């Protein structure tokens, strides 16, 4: 199905063709209860004078909040927070007034039980909000938001371009749900006899395009057939009036860049542009001064990403050219062209051990040298570029702290978490290669640290430092999590354009105002603009509420006029019916998902720039001293990769983990984008395998699951990097949170057993199998998956009432975000007075081992934490099948650093179970990143050997001189370094059958 609101789209373009002082359509956000300290009912009427028809649209409505014609009634509500159903402090509530035929003299009058007030349109220009009713009401002008699609499917990834003859082309991806999509995420009334429905395919993706010309939108045209596996779009128009739509498509297991031209007569034939082995994704496109269309993208070859480009010469597309030069990963290309024939591509690169922004320009039929735009030791990424009328290139990018993705968690703060804070920066590059800056501060107008107050945006200039503080971890409180960095701005993903008058437009995402919904936290798009003298204050863009990585398409449609198209899932309105998060896991019993992505547009007219853009000289940012940790880590990682272990010395070590979270999760305000998880995994952590990401891949919603699975295939590089299909399934104690992993794509998350069943949540004081966990085991057996419990000795853990060794062969003994759960008194283990996540001592791993469970040890991150928890597997090769096999065999050890560990006994290795007639003997080899202060051997939960080698490399042999005949005992090794780093080697279960 597809529907596009033709009349409303025409209306918004009519708005953009008019002067705001004349009669036109306008929208105003009216927030009530700005200063309320108690829940207050706001009820009343609105009267609009000297304007046309109007409508009221609820903003953050929930429950019985409602508007009906000129009447409205709603309450101020507590701020919504995860795990706080009743919410926090009171926040303003209100609605948006959308009115036609608005002029400066139009008046909006309100009668309420709290008092009456009014305002004229002339009082509220863009970016200049006003207060009424003694400060209790806040009013600001917002762009008119028009819904472009209204379907039960998901419309996303828009791109837009303007042609030379005034036409506009829009391209986007539409995801088609399966007929049973909602049913498959709801709780089954009983344990299914067969789980095959959880492998039901989706309807796949489809690319659509639409043309606006002469005041009308034509019919949407299918660029691809339905049922594809597609990712993102780009569009540009050529000199012949054709629009070229680009996208990435998975054909035969490889993502490549495809293109298709379209004009008023319809779509032409498809063209495949990239043909290399490896994923080609993230196309961006532009048109040069001669009317040629250019496209750039990220292409993966042999496990390394580079930036490629091609252009259409009138006959066909050129052979793709690699335009980045390093042997490290390059990301997120942006492209722009000027009036003289130059074409520039910018991107960010990990070549210096952190992300830096580079650019390269095509001029005079050749590519110039790479130019570093921002190359300090800080995180500099996600560039967006545009040329102004003078030929000056402007580059916007986001900046984070030093040490991005390095050591961060409960016991480390020398690095920076992935979304610890972000600033938007802007630089200019003159045609002669010199750098300039605007003679007007940008920091002071961008949004500051997120707060619950929608009327107070703060200032990026007041943001706390984003750089790490290694001493913060010393101030962690008992039961506390990783150290917080306080009031930092979190402005991300800049989108930059410059119109022909020289007006600069900059859109960006931010979590302000702070708000949570049952499907996750809310991020919003804001817009600022520079018209020659000063920047505007941030302009709120309605219907841009969505996940963090949701990038609008911007196109100037005249001097001082901008059209923005984005997707919104409408998460700002709190749908109580969804109720997806609660303290016992996920309740999924609604008849349908009340949230889905549709396309919306916003039109803004601020008038042309008033003067030539004023600039001042700005030298290239000197590179800060890089952290020495990178070289140390690289050496240690190489040692792990070079090592061969196992009885035949033919198994290599694969570093990884399978417990991370992203924006897709309902509780992930600080984890960052899904793409940033992959950046961390591939670059900062340099893992060999991973399971990513989140609670039910986004609360079990079909679309977020589809995107998560898609990216798992996008970043797969056989023999080099192995991403597994993984999600966290959370159930309350005593069943516990578990991380699930599959080798194959297409297995949906398993909903919880119907919570109305009394056996669903077992009484922790009544011991016996839990029905939901037993259902999980049956599902895993059918699809050959495995699972591991995490934070087992917390309220997220288990009392070990259940175990199936065939599908639950490992346990997360340590978590970077929290603590260790090895056994009471062990290093970094939680304790009654210091247990982040609650204290449940029945969940210690030692108790599971004492029950006879066969569990290997792995370590993973969970929320926020980075670079301090690893699951190292001994694998035959780097394939998904080998990763799964190693986990099944428990050939795994957990570590907080890049420590090498190899423990064997005869022809057996860690994780094995066997019998021996001789005294059990362990051969231990450890190679640390610092000296080992202590090495311990634990048998059946008791220390049987300990040594203090004070050496970085330890090799020893230990024999059990007191084995018990016919008893199977478990033995494992723990190594503790003098710097506090730890390694836990999976147990061996040895039955002594000698005399």
């Amino acid at each position: 199905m597809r529907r596009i609101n033709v009349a409303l789209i025409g209306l918004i373009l009519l708005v953009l063709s008019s002067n705001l002082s004349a009669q036109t359509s306008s929208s105003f956000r009216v927030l009530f209860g700005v200063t309320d300290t108690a829940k207050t009912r706001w009820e009343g009427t609105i009267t609009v004078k000297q304007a046309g028809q109007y409508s009221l649209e609820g903003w953050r409505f929930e429950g019985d909040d409602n508007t009906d014609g000129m009447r409205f009634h709603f309450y101020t509500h507590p701020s919504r927070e995860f795990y706080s159903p009743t919410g926090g402090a009171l926040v303003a509530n209100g609605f948006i007034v959308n009115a036609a035929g608005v002029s400066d003299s139009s008046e909006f009058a309100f009668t309420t039980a709290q008092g009456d007030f009014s305002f004229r349109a002339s009082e509220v220009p863009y970016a200049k909000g006003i207060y009424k009713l003694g400060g209790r009401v806040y009013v600001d002008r917002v762009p008119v938001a028009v819904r472009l699609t209204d379907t039960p499917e998901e419309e996303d990834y828009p791109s837009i371009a303007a042609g030379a003859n005034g036409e506009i082309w829009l391209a986007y991806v539409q995801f088609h749900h399966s007929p049973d999509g909602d049913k498959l995420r709801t709780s089954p009334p009983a344990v299914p006899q067969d789980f095959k429905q959880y492998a039901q395919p989706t309807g796949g993706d489809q690319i659509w395009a639409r043309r606006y010309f002469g005041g009308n939108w034509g019919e949407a045209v299918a660029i691809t057939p339905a049922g594809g596996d597609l990712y993102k779009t780009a569009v540009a128009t050529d000199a012949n009036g054709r629009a070229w739509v680009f996208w990435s498509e998975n054909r035969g297991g490889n993502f490549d860049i495809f293109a298709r031209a379209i004009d008023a007569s319809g779509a032409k034939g498809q063209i495949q542009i990239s043909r290399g082995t490896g994923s080609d994704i993230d196309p961006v496109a532009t048109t040069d001064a001669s009317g040629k269309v250019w496209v750039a993208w990220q292409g993966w070859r042999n496990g390394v990403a580079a930036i490629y480009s091609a252009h259409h010469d009138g006959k066909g597309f050129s052979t793709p050219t690699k335009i980045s030069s390093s042997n490290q990963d390059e990301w997120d290309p942006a492209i722009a062209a000027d009036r003289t024939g130059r074409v520039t591509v910018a991107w960010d690169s990990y070549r210096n051990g952190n992300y830096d922004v580079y650019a390269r320009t095509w001029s005079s039929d050749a590519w110039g040298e790479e130019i570093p735009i921002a190359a300090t030791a800080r995180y500099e990424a996600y560039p967006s570029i545009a040329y102004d009328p003078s030929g000056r290139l402007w580059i916007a990018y986001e900046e984070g702290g030093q040490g991005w993705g390095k050591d961060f968690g409960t016991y480390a703060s020398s690095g920076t978490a992935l979304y610890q804070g972000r600033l938007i920066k802007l630089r200019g590059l003159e045609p002669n290669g010199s750098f300039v800056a605007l003679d007007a501060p940008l920091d002071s107008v961008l949004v500051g640290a997120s707060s619950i107050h929608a009327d107070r945006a703060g200032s990026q200039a007041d943001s706390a430092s984003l750089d790490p503080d290694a001493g913060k971890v010393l101030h962690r409180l008992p039961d506390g999590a990783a150290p917080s960095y306080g009031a930092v701005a979190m402005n991300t993903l800049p989108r930059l354009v410059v119109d022909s008058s020289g007006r600069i437009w900059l859109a960006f995402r931010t979590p302000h105002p702070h708000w949570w919904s049952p499907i996750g936290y809310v991020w919003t798009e804001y817009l600022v603009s520079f018209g020659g003298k000063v920047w505007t204050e941030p302009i709120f863009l309605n219907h841009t509420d969505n996940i963090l990585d949701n990038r609008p398409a911007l196109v100037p449609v005249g001097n001082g006029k901008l059209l923005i198209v984005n997707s919104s899932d409408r998460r700002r309105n709190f749908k109580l019916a969804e109720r997806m998060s609660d303290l016992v896991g996920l309740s999924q019993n609604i008849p349908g998902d009340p949230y889905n992505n549709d396309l919306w547009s916003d039109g803004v007219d601020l008038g042309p720039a008033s003067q030539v853009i004023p600039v001042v000289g700005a030298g290239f940012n000197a590179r800060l001293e890089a952290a020495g940790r990178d070289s140390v880590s690289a050496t240690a990682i190489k040692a792990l990769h070079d090592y061969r272990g196992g009885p035949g010395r033919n198994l290599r070590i694969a570093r990884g983990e399978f417990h991370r979270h992203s924006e897709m999760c309902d509780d992930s305000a600080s984890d960052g984008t899904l793409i940033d998880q992959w950046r961390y995994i591939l670059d900062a952590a340099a893992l060999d395998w991973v399971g990513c990401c989140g609670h039910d891949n986004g609360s079990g919603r079909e679309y977020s699951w589809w995107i998560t699975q898609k990216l798992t295939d996008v970043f797969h590089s056989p023999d080099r990097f192995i991403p597994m299909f993984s999600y966290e399934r959370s159930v309350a104690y005593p069943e516990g949170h578990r991380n699930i992993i599959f080798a194959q794509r297409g297995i949906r998350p398993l909903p919880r057993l119907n919570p109305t069943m009394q056996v669903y949540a077992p009484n922790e004081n009544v011991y016996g199998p839990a029905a939901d966990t037993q259902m999980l085991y049956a599902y895993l057996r059918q699809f050959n998956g495995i699972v591991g419990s995490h934070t087992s000795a917390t309220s997220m853990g288990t009392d070990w009432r259940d175990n199936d060794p065939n599908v639950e062969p490992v346990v997360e003994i340590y978590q970077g975000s929290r603590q260790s759960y090895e056994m009471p008194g062990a290093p970094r283990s939680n304790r009654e007075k210091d247990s982040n996540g609650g204290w449940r001592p029945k969940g210690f791993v030692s108790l599971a081992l004492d029950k006879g469970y066969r569990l290997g040890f792995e370590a993973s991150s969970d929320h926020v934490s980075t670079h301090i928890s690893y699951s190292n597997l001994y694998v035959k090769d780097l394939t998904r099948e080998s990763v799964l096999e190693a986990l099944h065999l428990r050939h795994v050890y957990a570590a907080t650093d890049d420590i090498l560990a190899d423990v064997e006994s005869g022809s057996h290795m860690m994780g094995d179970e066997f019998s021996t007639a001789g005294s059990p003997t362990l051969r231990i080899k450890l190679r640390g990143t610092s000296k080992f202060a202590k090495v311990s051997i634990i048998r059946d939960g008791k220390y049987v050997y300990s040594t203090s080698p004070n050496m970085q490399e330890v090799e020893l042999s230990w024999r059990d001189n007191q084995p018990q005949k016919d008893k199977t005992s478990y033995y494992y090794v723990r190594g503790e370094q003098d710097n506090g780093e730890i390694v836990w080697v999976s147990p061996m279960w040895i039955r002594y059958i000698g005399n």
Side-chain angles (χ1 to χ4, degrees):
M1 293 179 62
R2 65 183 191 279
R3 295 194 300 275
I4 296 194
N5 195 324
V6 177
L8 287 177
I9 298 174
L11 174 63
I12 194 168
L13 290 170
L14 179 62
V15 170
L16 290 172
S17 65
S18 305
N19 188 288
L20 288 182
S21 64
Q23 288 192 346
T24 184
S25 293
S26 298
S27 295
F28 300 91
R29 181 174 57 162
V30 187
L31 302 182
F32 298 78
V34 172
T35 59
D36 285 359
T37 57
K39 185 176 181 179
T40 304
R41 180 176 175 86
W42 288 84
E43 183 175 19
T45 61
I46 177 176
T47 302
V48 179
K49 301 176 182 179
Q50 298 187 48
Q53 293 183 337
Y54 69 91
S55 63
L56 307 182
E57 174 191 347
W59 190 81
R60 292 206 302 209
F61 272 16
E62 62 179 75
D64 296 328
D65 296 345
N66 195 24
T67 63
D68 183 10
M70 63 183 293
R71 304 192 64 83
F72 55 86
H73 62 85
F74 53 85
Y75 287 91
T76 47
H77 296 291
S79 173
R80 293 297 177 182
E81 299 288 345
F82 179 72
Y83 273 164
S84 180
T86 58
L90 285 175
V91 294
N93 196 359
F95 50 77
I96 291 176
V97 184
N98 301 304
V102 175
S103 66
D104 284 348
S105 59
S106 296
E107 183 179 7
F108 300 81
F110 298 81
T111 300
T112 80
Q114 315 301 325
D116 302 340
F117 66 94
S118 65
F119 67 86
R120 292 186 180 276
S122 59
E123 293 180 71
V124 195
Y126 281 119
K128 297 291 182 182
I130 61 173
Y131 290 92
K132 293 288 182 177
L133 208 62
R136 297 188 68 186
V137 174
Y138 176 76
V139 183
D140 63 341
R141 185 188 289 260
V142 299
V144 176
V146 175
R147 189 172 190 161
L148 305 186
T149 63
D150 185 6
T151 80
E153 314 301 354
E154 310 276 350
E155 286 81 28
D156 209 347
Y157 302 115
S159 56
I160 196 166
N165 58 358
E167 65 185 3
I168 296 173
W169 284 94
L170 170 68
Y172 58 93
V173 181
Q174 183 183 60
F175 168 72
H176 296 259
H177 289 283
S178 68
D180 298 327
D182 283 332
K183 178 182 177 182
L184 291 171
R185 66 189 286 263
T186 59
S187 300
V191 176
Q193 296 300 307
D194 193 315
F195 296 89
K196 62 183 179 182
Q197 67 267 30
Y198 297 111
Q200 183 183 111
T202 71
D205 300 316
Q206 189 170 19
I207 306 291
W208 293 89
R210 191 146 191 186
R211 175 178 179 257
Y212 178 89
F213 183 69
N216 296 292
W217 281 95
E219 286 294 320
V221 177
I223 299 298
T224 68
D229 188 9
L230 316 174
Y231 188 50
K232 294 190 176 179
T233 68
V235 63
T237 58
D238 67 16
N240 298 318
R242 298 175 299 182
W244 286 90
V245 179
F246 303 90
W247 68 95
S248 177
E249 181 170 352
N250 182 2
R251 293 188 184 178
N254 198 76
F255 282 85
D256 278 302
I257 302 298
F258 292 83
R260 193 172 187 184
I262 182 173
D263 59 22
S265 65
K268 314 307 175 185
Q270 288 191 16
I271 298 173
Q272 183 172 347
I273 296 177
S274 67
R275 296 184 180 275
T277 300
S279 293
D280 293 271
I281 59 170
D282 292 350
V284 291
T286 193
T287 306
D288 70 16
S290 66
K292 294 178 183 176
V293 168
W294 291 71
V295 60
W297 67 92
Q298 181 193 54
W300 290 82
R301 303 292 182 267
N302 299 315
V304 179
I307 304 301
Y308 292 84
S309 177
H311 65 273
H312 197 279
D313 60 9
K315 298 179 181 179
F317 279 92
S318 61
T319 300
T321 300
K322 178 183 174 184
I323 59 174
S324 58
S325 65
S326 85
N327 59 1
Q328 298 298 314
D329 292 336
E330 319 281 349
W331 295 84
D332 209 65
I335 194 168
D338 75 354
R339 298 174 177 177
T340 68
R342 292 186 299 164
V343 175
T344 296
V345 178
W347 65 91
D348 63 79
S349 170
Y350 203 73
R351 66 186 66 183
N352 299 315
N354 62 339
Y355 291 113
D356 297 317
V357 176
Y358 286 81
R360 197 172 181 188
T361 297
W362 171 274
S363 180
S364 303
D365 295 325
W367 285 102
E369 296 295 321
E370 286 179 316
I371 301 172
I373 303 298
T376 74
R378 292 194 173 94
Y379 170 101
E380 292 138 335
Y382 296 106
S384 182
I385 63 175
Y387 276 101
D388 68 22
S390 73
R392 180 186 299 117
L393 179 70
W394 290 99
I395 309 99
Y397 58 93
E398 61 180 65
E399 180 182 271
Q402 298 182 60
W404 184 88
K406 299 305 179 181
D407 294 11
F408 189 85
T410 296
Y411 294 99
S413 60
S414 60
T416 300
L418 304 192
Y419 191 47
Q420 194 161 288
R422 289 288 196 282
L423 310 177
I424 301 296
K425 298 296 183 180
L426 180 68
R427 312 198 77 200
L429 181 64
E430 297 284 9
N432 65 8
S434 61
F435 285 100
V436 295
L438 274 176
D439 193 14
L442 177 62
D443 278 349
S444 61
V445 300
L446 295 180
V447 174
S450 173
S451 78
I452 62 174
H453 304 292
D455 58 311
R456 294 178 239 164
S459 171
Q460 179 175 287
D462 296 328
S463 174
S465 172
L466 307 185
D467 287 331
D469 178 354
K472 272 189 174 290
V473 71
L474 302 176
H475 305 292
R476 184 184 73 86
L477 298 175
D479 297 335
S484 170
Y485 274 73
V488 293
M490 303 182 91
N491 301 323
T492 60
L493 299 169
R495 313 298 285 172
L496 179 72
V497 295
V498 182
D499 66 30
S500 55
S501 75
R503 177 175 283 278
I504 300 174
W505 303 87
L506 177 63
F508 60 96
R509 292 192 76 69
T510 179
H512 180 79
H514 186 77
W515 191 251
W516 177 81
S517 82
I519 60 172
Y521 282 87
V522 179
W523 283 271
T524 301
E525 200 78 16
Y526 282 80
L527 177 72
V528 295
S529 183
F530 183 79
K533 295 181 179 179
V534 296
W535 286 97
T536 67
E537 295 295 319
I539 300 171
F540 170 84
L541 299 180
N542 192 23
H543 290 297
T544 59
D545 44 333
N546 212 314
I547 60 174
L548 170 55
D549 192 355
N550 183 264
R551 311 184 198 186
L554 280 63
V555 62
V557 291
N559 290 338
K561 300 173 182 178
L562 184 72
L563 179 64
I564 306 162
V565 177
N566 63 273
S567 67
S568 168
D569 60 13
R570 294 167 289 164
R571 62 178 56 200
R572 193 181 311 281
N573 287 337
F574 193 85
K575 303 291 186 179
L576 293 173
E578 177 72 344
R579 295 198 60 195
M580 293 190 56
S581 279
D582 57 40
L583 293 176
V584 298
L586 297 182
S587 297
Q588 300 164 322
N589 287 302
I590 59 170
D593 188 345
Y595 300 96
N596 88 310
N597 281 278
D598 281 302
L599 297 183
W600 293 76
S601 65
D602 293 88
V604 187
D605 185 348
L606 297 179
S610 61
Q611 64 182 50
V612 175
I613 298 174
V615 297
V616 294
F620 177 70
N621 290 350
R623 182 167 181 81
L624 303 175
E625 183 179 354
R629 174 92 178 146
D630 287 343
S631 60
V632 173
S633 181
T635 300
I637 292 172
K638 184 178 186 304
L640 293 176
H641 286 168
D642 290 343
Y643 187 77
R644 294 297 179 266
R649 319 314 297 173
N650 61 345
L651 300 180
R652 61 160 295 178
I653 296 174
R655 302 163 60 254
E657 64 160 308
F658 63 111
H659 187 189
R660 296 205 61 79
H661 294 280
S662 77
E663 63 193 325
M664 296 291 190
C665 296
D666 56 351
D667 59 345
S668 290
S670 302
D671 285 298
T673 68
L674 185 55
I675 289 295
D676 269 356
Q677 305 309 310
W678 291 105
R679 283 175 174 253
Y680 162 74
I681 289 161
L682 290 157
D683 292 336
L687 300 182
D688 303 308
W689 73 277
V690 80
C692 181
C693 294
H695 298 284
D696 299 84
N697 292 152
S699 303
R701 303 178 69 234
E702 189 174 43
Y703 183 53
S704 56
W705 166 75
W706 173 252
I707 295 298
T708 303
Q709 293 243 315
K710 183 195 303 289
L711 291 177
T712 303
D713 265 350
V714 162
F715 295 114
H716 183 208
S717 182
D719 300 323
R720 291 178 179 269
F721 174 67
I722 308 301
M724 307 293 283
F725 300 96
S726 178
Y727 68 93
E728 177 182 339
R729 188 174 185 272
S730 302
V731 183
Y733 183 89
E735 294 191 69
H737 294 205
R738 286 175 164 89
N739 298 306
I740 293 162
I741 192 167
F742 294 106
Q744 73 274 32
R745 183 175 176 179
I747 309 304
R748 295 169 182 263
L750 179 67
R752 313 308 178 267
L753 197 58
N754 194 326
T756 61
M757 297 179 63
Q758 292 183 355
V759 295
Y760 165 73
N763 185 328
E764 63 178 292
N765 297 315
V766 179
Y767 202 77
D772 183 79
T773 304
Q774 294 298 318
M775 178 180 72
L776 171 63
Y777 291 158
Y779 156 88
L780 294 169
R781 286 193 294 268
Q782 181 162 334
F783 296 120
N784 192 33
I786 67 163
V787 66
S789 173
H790 80 74
T791 53
S792 56
T794 72
S795 297
M796 295 166 281
T798 178
D799 61 4
W800 297 113
R801 64 183 57 215
D802 295 293
N803 178 258
D804 181 336
N806 293 316
V807 296
E808 191 169 19
V810 294
V811 60
E812 188 181 279
I813 196 168
Y814 174 76
Q815 182 187 103
S817 181
R818 294 183 176 89
Q819 293 161 300
S820 168
Y821 307 96
E822 177 190 354
M823 62 181 182
R828 296 199 190 185
S829 280
N830 63 333
R831 58 185 187 273
E832 185 175 6
K833 300 299 184 182
D834 183 11
S835 185
N836 180 6
W839 171 245
R840 298 286 186 172
K842 292 181 181 179
F844 276 110
V845 175
S846 58
L847 299 180
L849 297 175
D850 289 344
K851 287 170 63 69
Y853 293 174
R854 273 49 172 167
L855 296 170
F857 299 158
E858 55 99 359
S860 290
S861 297
D862 203 349
H863 292 286
V864 181
S865 177
T866 52
H867 216 249
I868 59 172
S869 45
Y870 301 97
S871 300
N872 294 337
L873 308 178
Y874 276 91
V875 297
K876 294 183 296 187
D877 50 35
L878 278 182
T879 63
R880 284 171 169 160
E881 293 72 21
S882 288
V883 167
L884 198 67
E885 179 185 36
L887 289 166
H888 270 297
L889 295 173
R890 303 180 296 267
H891 292 170
V892 55
Y893 68 90
T896 65
D897 204 352
D898 293 312
I899 300 171
L900 189 154
D902 190 0
V903 177
E904 299 178 356
S905 180
S907 60
H908 301 280
M909 64 181 297
M910 64 184 73
D912 287 352
E913 181 173 1
F914 59 95
S915 299
T916 179
S919 296
T921 301
L922 304 185
R923 297 193 307 274
I924 301 167
K925 182 173 184 175
L926 303 176
R927 182 184 301 161
T929 55
S930 188
K931 293 179 180 180
F932 282 96
K934 188 175 184 180
V935 176
S936 303
I937 299 174
I938 293 91
R939 180 191 65 192
D940 296 337
K942 303 290 192 300
Y943 291 95
V944 293
Y945 177 79
S946 182
T947 183
S948 300
N950 195 34
M951 299 170 61
Q952 193 165 344
E953 294 193 30
V954 175
E955 292 195 39
L956 63 89
S957 179
W958 175 84
R959 184 176 64 190
D960 186 354
N961 291 319
Q962 296 180 324
Q964 295 184 38
K965 184 175 174 60
D966 293 327
K967 179 183 179 182
T968 298
S969 293
Y970 67 84
Y971 301 78
Y972 70 87
V973 174
R974 184 206 310 133
E976 303 168 53
Q977 294 186 168
D978 57 6
N979 61 358
E981 306 296 352
I982 308 172
V983 60
W984 298 264
V985 184
S986 289
M988 287 187 279
W989 288 263
I990 306 175
R991 181 170 178 253
Y992 176 62
I993 58 174
N995 294 317

